[in-house]
Amino acid sequence: MRTESKKISKSSWPKLPVRKWLNINNSADKFQSDYSVTGTAMDRRKSCSDQDRYVVVGDDLSEGWLMDSTNGMLGKKTTPFTDALKLRMFVGTWNVGGKSPNECLSLRNWLTSPSPADVYVIGFQEIVPLNAGNVLGPEDSGPAAKWLTLIREALNANKCDHESSNYDNDNTANNSSFSELTSDQRSYCVAASKQMVGIFLSVWVRADLYNQVSNLKVSCVGRGIMGYLGNKGSISISMTLYSTTFCFVCTHLASGEKYGDEVRRNFDVTEILKKTKFSHTYNKSLGHTLSPESILEHDNIIWLGDLNYRLAAGYDDTHELLKKNNWQALLEMDQLRIEQRAGRVFQGWNEGSIYFAPTYKYLTNSDNYVAQTSKSKEKRRTPAWCDRILWKGEGLSQIWYVRGESKFSDHRPVYSLFSVKVDLTSKNLIPSNVTIPRSSCPLKPLTNAALSSTCAAKVQVEEQLLLLTRAQSCLDTAPRF
């Protein structure tokens, strides 16, 4: 530690923010996005109600349109809208061992899937070396920018590969296939990205879905040196897609394979769940909160990263099983599954079946584990499944769970594809006891009867405008009066 401290110049010490040491960062709630130079904890865009505006249904459209008082949705009698949409979400995690990517590195093999996803959630650990200079000093954002460039190139190159493919995601007739989208719609943009020392998380969405994303927020929790610094810990991104809330938690937990180290990892998880807080969006006119404040309040949660859980056995006990590729026998000794079965961590969380080799620890640029070549017992790291993806929520269904084979790092990347069900109803936006304002024409309270053709209905919910995009020429917005 003393040697590493020399890497920090004397002139930088006065500039070291005490807030960073205590994990109280002025910019902890800020993130990068394609649609703003710097995002904040505020909504990416305000809802119609926040802007004190209504959606006005034209007189010529009001006949035949129904308002369901139970869910507040608009629908046409002849062609009712569905209240759910199925999308695909790619989730990937990779510990890159403190190495910055070079121009020759391609992520296409890692990010390419049998069919393109609508949302990509990509987390990294150790994008910078975890030395004293990076942990205590100013954040080095150079590697993060390089990774973003490589991801953008890979995703937007993939769109060309699938232009003629049939993208069947089991949606209803309301949803176009991926091949029917325009070139711009097949591109991807960054909804939010955030770095904390070596942990880096970015969320990408298909360009035509970006307007359906709201309430973007981030929260960082340091669990490293002194239990506060950011060499270990978590970055969490919260967002609402249509009316469904998501939380993505990218973590790098305590390392070590000594007896009892799994307890420190369990405690990291507990502290991350307790300390992760998102600034809430409160709507005064509706009298309730529009977005979750903690991880577990979200509809769907995905936890990814280098969780660092090891095998509860030494290398000598696992050597023969490794030679036989007997992953199922090795998984019986996996600390994460042992701790989860015992109810000490991740109770009620899901993880897919693992049919791939341990992802750590490899020799760089090699298919050999360090344990297979190292003569030093101190450096011999027993192979383990350190890199994992877990999830919680009824709207998620895992399609596959595999690992990549890049030799860039001492870890192999892990990725998963999910089928995601998102809610198109406005369940979080209009409580049943709120009266929906409307025009000056005397109307009875809205029921399942057709709206009068002579009066325009004023609806205070932004999401319902999204359902009427096919009739955009007949819609207008007007300020409240």
Side-chain angles (χ1 to χ4, degrees):
M1 185 71 176
R2 186 175 302 166
T3 303
E4 292 175 338
S5 297
K6 293 180 181 179
K7 296 181 181 180
I8 306 176
S9 64
K10 293 181 179 179
S11 62
S12 67
W13 278 99
K15 299 178 182 179
L16 290 178
V18 176
R19 286 176 172 270
K20 182 173 182 179
W21 286 54
L22 299 178
N23 193 37
I24 306 173
N25 196 330
N26 281 324
S27 60
D29 61 348
K30 294 184 178 179
F31 54 88
Q32 297 299 313
S33 173
D34 279 349
Y35 281 71
S36 61
V37 177
T38 304
T40 66
M42 299 298 291
D43 294 352
R44 178 190 60 74
R45 56 188 173 87
K46 292 185 178 180
S47 67
C48 286
S49 55
D50 289 335
Q51 295 174 346
D52 289 337
R53 299 185 72 85
Y54 293 99
V55 175
V56 178
V57 182
D59 291 347
D60 55 342
L61 277 181
S62 58
E63 185 173 3
W65 287 86
L66 302 180
M67 171 66 75
D68 185 344
S69 59
T70 59
N71 61 17
M73 292 301 297
L74 283 173
K76 203 170 191 302
K77 287 192 292 188
T78 54
T79 310
F81 285 100
T82 60
D83 60 358
L85 176 71
K86 282 188 178 180
L87 301 174
R88 290 192 177 186
M89 179 178 292
F90 176 101
V91 180
T93 178
W94 194 9
N95 184 321
V96 293
K99 296 173 63 178
S100 183
N102 53 52
E103 296 179 355
C104 299
L105 182 65
S106 172
L107 300 183
R108 291 192 65 186
N109 289 337
W110 181 35
L111 301 180
T112 298
S113 60
S115 60
D118 303 288
V119 179
Y120 284 81
V121 181
I122 304 170
F124 293 95
Q125 303 81 46
E126 295 192 52
I127 63 170
V128 297
L130 300 184
N131 54 43
N134 286 323
V135 175
L136 302 175
E139 196 159 74
D140 180 5
S141 59
K146 293 180 180 179
W147 287 112
L148 280 178
T149 298
L150 288 175
I151 295 170
R152 191 185 304 276
E153 290 175 350
L155 294 183
N156 291 325
N158 285 347
K159 70 175 183 177
C160 300
D161 297 341
H162 297 282
E163 282 186 357
S164 58
S165 66
N166 184 16
Y167 179 47
D168 180 13
N169 58 1
D170 299 325
N171 292 332
T172 63
N174 288 338
N175 309 314
S176 301
S177 70
F178 192 82
S179 60
E180 293 173 348
L181 300 174
T182 66
S183 179
D184 288 341
Q185 290 172 325
R186 281 191 296 266
S187 63
Y188 296 87
C189 56
V190 182
S193 68
K194 179 67 176 178
Q195 177 184 359
M196 181 181 74
V197 188
I199 305 173
F200 181 55
L201 176 63
S202 65
V203 178
W204 301 71
V205 297
R206 218 175 62 210
D208 62 309
L209 287 177
Y210 192 87
N211 287 334
Q212 322 307 334
V213 177
S214 61
N215 296 322
L216 278 164
K217 299 177 178 69
V218 300
S219 177
C220 299
V221 175
R223 290 295 306 152
I225 300 171
M226 299 183 293
Y228 287 98
L229 295 187
N231 55 307
K232 296 291 170 63
S234 67
I235 297 173
S236 300
I237 294 179
S238 170
M239 77 177 195
T240 302
L241 181 58
Y242 288 95
S243 294
T244 301
T245 58
F246 291 87
C247 186
F248 309 111
V249 187
C250 180
T251 61
H252 193 183
L253 305 184
S255 60
E257 58 181 48
K258 301 189 301 297
Y259 177 78
D261 283 340
E262 69 276 12
V263 178
R264 296 194 298 130
R265 292 185 267 274
N266 293 351
F267 187 61
D268 282 348
V269 174
T270 300
E271 289 296 288
I272 289 168
L273 288 171
K274 182 172 68 175
K275 293 182 178 179
T276 298
K277 298 295 180 184
F278 302 102
S279 58
H280 65 276
T281 304
Y282 187 80
N283 189 300
K284 293 183 180 179
S285 63
L286 299 181
H288 70 134
T289 300
L290 296 179
S291 59
E293 298 181 56
S294 66
I295 291 174
L296 295 178
E297 291 177 8
H298 291 76
D299 297 322
N300 297 295
I301 314 161
I302 295 181
W303 191 298
L304 61 146
D306 182 356
L307 276 58
N308 253 324
Y309 286 95
R310 310 301 174 89
L311 295 180
Y315 178 73
D316 293 337
D317 297 329
T318 61
H319 181 66
E320 289 301 318
L321 295 175
L322 281 170
K323 288 172 59 177
K324 296 176 181 178
N325 294 340
N326 191 341
W327 313 137
Q328 300 312 306
L330 283 173
L331 282 167
E332 291 300 315
M333 299 180 280
D334 174 63
Q335 286 181 345
L336 176 55
R337 296 197 169 187
I338 293 173
E339 296 300 299
Q340 194 174 16
R341 284 196 298 266
R344 291 187 285 265
V345 73
F346 289 118
Q347 287 183 278
W349 290 69
N350 304 295
E351 183 183 19
S353 299
I354 295 177
Y355 297 107
F356 50 85
T359 56
Y360 173 84
K361 173 179 173 76
Y362 283 91
L363 290 170
T364 305
N365 297 320
S366 171
D367 286 324
N368 296 320
Y369 292 105
V370 169
Q372 295 173 317
T373 58
S374 175
K375 297 180 180 179
S376 170
K377 292 184 179 180
E378 184 178 346
K379 295 181 179 180
R380 179 179 282 187
R381 299 284 185 266
T382 302
W385 286 275
C386 291
D387 311 280
R388 313 289 276 265
I389 298 172
L390 291 84
W391 79 93
K392 188 179 182 70
E394 296 181 358
L396 293 169
S397 176
Q398 192 175 57
I399 299 174
W400 40 260
Y401 186 30
V402 295
R403 76 172 211 173
E405 297 302 331
S406 172
K407 302 175 185 178
F408 177 79
S409 165
D410 57 351
H411 289 249
R412 293 294 188 262
V414 170
Y415 52 107
S416 180
L417 185 67
F418 291 92
S419 174
V420 181
K421 183 180 179 181
V422 294
D423 191 359
L424 300 182
T425 64
S426 52
K427 60 181 180 181
N428 294 326
L429 297 180
I430 296 189
S432 57
N433 61 346
V434 174
T435 301
I436 301 176
R438 63 194 79 150
S439 70
S440 58
C441 297
L443 290 176
K444 295 180 180 180
L446 290 172
T447 63
N448 286 340
L451 295 178
S452 170
S453 62
T454 60
C455 297
K458 295 180 178 179
V459 184
Q460 210 173 10
V461 184
E462 179 188 27
E463 276 68 15
Q464 293 178 352
L465 174 60
L466 304 177
L467 295 178
L468 302 177
T469 52
R470 293 182 178 179
Q472 287 179 354
S473 61
C474 300
L475 297 178
D476 191 11
T477 58
R480 181 181 293 176
F481 47 83

